[in-house]
Amino acid sequence: MDNKSLSHTRWKCQYHIVFIPKYRKKVLYGRLKVDVKEIICTLCKYKRVDIIAGAVCADHVHLSVAIPPKISVSDFMGYLKGKSTLMIYDRHPELQSRWDKSFWARGYYVEKIGNITDAAVERYIREQADKSRDED
């Protein structure tokens, strides 16, 4: 991916992010899996975050994203997990009472993509998605 630019900044801030549903429940399948993917894409567009690669597995989500430098990773993840929870519960109200109003677990894993190639991260995410698909 080429460097992006803001009015006075050239940037390439790519991250590999992994986050899980509360209690790592294997709930991300069927219609919910499709909705989660659509919701994440929509919310990323709102914040102008580019999704390079992504996979919604049965018990976790992988994202390779380019986040503009004016947005911190923690702010973006708070926004993504908070808004997506509301949107998921709007579409699937039966899930709301299960985990005390929280759909996602509190933490997440993030690493800056720098010393490895984009292709290596995309291959890893694809392999995780294939593995998850085989388990389904």
Side-chain angles (χ1 to χ4, degrees):
M1 182 171 85
D2 294 334
N3 290 340
K4 303 276 187 188
S5 65
L6 299 169
S7 60
H8 300 284
T9 308
R10 299 281 301 163
W11 60 276
K12 183 179 180 183
C13 302
Q14 291 179 240
Y15 302 91
H16 175 216
I17 300 171
V18 181
F19 54 103
I20 63 173
K22 196 163 186 179
Y23 309 123
R24 199 158 180 137
K25 297 286 188 184
K26 296 180 187 284
V27 295
L28 301 174
Y29 58 87
R31 182 69 196 153
L32 181 59
K33 181 177 183 173
V34 172
D35 286 346
V36 167
K37 185 183 278 189
E38 180 185 318
I39 288 167
I40 289 172
C41 288
T42 301
L43 293 173
C44 286
K45 279 183 193 171
Y46 289 162
K47 288 289 186 179
R48 296 193 173 148
V49 170
D50 292 333
I51 298 175
I52 298 157
V56 178
C57 303
D59 64 348
H60 62 285
V61 175
H62 283 275
L63 289 177
S64 175
V65 292
I67 301 174
K70 63 183 180 178
I71 304 172
S72 72
V73 176
S74 64
D75 286 347
F76 172 70
M77 287 306 295
Y79 163 80
L80 183 68
K81 289 168 63 176
K83 293 295 185 190
S84 66
T85 295
L86 296 174
M87 294 170 81
I88 289 167
Y89 287 160
D90 188 44
R91 295 180 187 193
H92 301 274
E94 70 280 0
L95 297 175
Q96 191 167 2
S97 62
R98 279 192 178 172
W99 302 305
D100 198 25
K101 304 247 185 226
S102 298
F103 183 80
W104 302 110
R106 286 180 57 197
Y108 57 91
Y109 169 80
V110 63
E111 71 177 322
K112 175 86 171 77
I113 299 173
N115 294 335
I116 59 174
T117 64
D118 295 346
V121 173
E122 289 175 29
R123 185 179 66 246
Y124 173 76
I125 291 173
R126 217 176 17 258
E127 288 169 0
Q128 287 292 307
D130 292 342
K131 182 179 175 185
S132 177
R133 203 172 305 114
D134 292 342
E135 290 174 359
D136 287 347

